[in-house]
Amino acid sequence: DTAVSQTPKYLVTQMGNDKSIKCEQNLGHDTMYWYKQDSKKFLKIMFSYNNKELIINETVPNRFSPKSPDKAHLNLHINSLELGDSAVYFCASSPQGGWEKLFFGSGTQLSVL
Amino acid sequence: GIQVEQSPPDLILQEGANSTLRCNFSDSVNNLQWFHQNPWGQLINLFYIPSGTKQNGRLSATTVATERYSLLYISSSQTTDSGVYFCAVEQGQAGTALIFGKGTTLSVSS
């Protein structure tokens, strides 16, 4: 039943490791996003894909690489994790580039030790 | 870029009280949404409201696009209303996404 699902919910790892977060939506939406929420709850857009095509790539270290195998999936791979990467990462989707309601996944809390 | 300011930053209420949250934005927008992040971290979309007024149960929202603000009204607040309320806007040009305000943290006690 879950509309936007992301896994894992918690990710604890050591500095320097590589990790991935997966996201899937079953709403039939064309556009998917990754947002980062910092410790002060501030939400910031990282990436956006429309029908598997990258349309937004904010100023994010190139250690972060999104991949969209199809329009229902958007994964986030992070190389060489740093302490400052600790945050909650949210996947989201919308029908048409954000012109309608945005729906969020439940978030992945990443802790880099 | 567009600036989004929310007020107040924090709000403490007794159960049953009413409240108004405000969102000001610095430029014209084509998209405005309100979200509630509950204490467990889940982000729930409350309203898509680029202009006009909408109501959903005890919650209603009004956006006056020409004056660049939106208001979220919560009536007869309940403890389950606690959490952070975010306003987010988008200007609508190609390659943009919702820009979030810093939120209003609401605590409702019984």
Side-chain angles (χ1 to χ4, degrees):
Chain A
D1 255 350
T2 305
V4 183
S5 59
Q6 56 182 106
T7 54
K9 186 161 178 60
Y10 299 98
L11 193 48
V12 181
T13 188
Q14 299 286 332
M15 263 195 316
N17 284 351
D18 302 338
K19 290 293 177 186
S20 292
I21 306 171
K22 295 187 175 182
C23 179
E24 175 182 3
Q25 55 94 4
N26 62 4
L27 296 167
H29 290 170
D30 293 320
T31 309
M32 296 184 72
Y33 309 80
W34 280 110
Y35 278 84
K36 178 180 179 181
Q37 186 172 45
D38 64 21
S39 58
K40 295 185 179 178
K41 300 282 191 181
F42 184 60
L43 277 155
K44 187 175 179 186
I45 181 71
M46 299 174 67
F47 301 104
S48 172
Y49 271 75
N50 188 57
N51 269 322
K52 304 193 298 176
E53 181 184 349
L54 180 66
I55 56 173
I56 296 175
N57 185 355
E58 289 296 307
T59 308
V60 175
N62 57 16
R63 298 181 294 102
F64 290 78
S65 53
K67 282 199 171 62
S68 182
D70 55 61
K71 77 172 193 175
H73 295 84
L74 179 61
N75 304 321
L76 183 65
H77 189 75
I78 316 169
N79 289 329
S80 304
L81 278 155
E82 299 178 357
L83 293 176
D85 297 331
S86 295
V88 182
Y89 293 84
F90 284 96
C91 177
S93 73
S94 67
Q96 273 187 346
W99 290 93
E100 297 183 37
K101 276 190 171 184
L102 185 69
F103 292 88
F104 280 93
S106 56
T108 294
Q109 186 165 331
L110 172 65
S111 299
V112 182
L113 307 176
Chain B
I2 191 167
Q3 304 296 314
V4 184
E5 291 185 5
Q6 292 187 242
S7 60
D10 300 284
L11 190 55
I12 300 174
L13 297 175
Q14 287 285 332
E15 212 169 16
N18 302 330
S19 62
T20 301
L21 282 58
R22 186 177 181 103
C23 172
N24 291 334
F25 41 96
S26 60
D27 206 343
S28 59
V29 299
N30 287 326
N31 185 352
L32 188 146
Q33 302 186 32
W34 284 95
F35 296 85
H36 174 220
Q37 186 167 34
N38 65 24
W40 297 271
Q42 183 70 34
L43 279 157
I44 307 296
N45 193 304
L46 298 175
F47 293 103
Y48 167 77
I49 187 164
S51 63
T53 298
K54 289 187 178 179
Q55 179 148 11
N56 185 1
R58 296 180 296 103
L59 272 58
S60 64
T62 294
T63 298
V64 184
T66 52
E67 296 188 21
R68 299 183 186 166
Y69 73 88
S70 183
L71 302 173
L72 178 69
Y73 305 96
I74 305 174
S75 64
S76 303
S77 57
Q78 300 176 358
T79 55
T80 52
D81 295 330
S82 297
V84 184
Y85 289 82
F86 290 102
C87 169
V89 303
E90 182 178 356
Q91 292 187 277
Q93 297 101 330
T96 62
L98 282 174
I99 304 301
F100 281 74
K102 292 185 178 179
T104 292
T105 300
L106 175 64
S107 298
V108 181
S109 56
S110 56

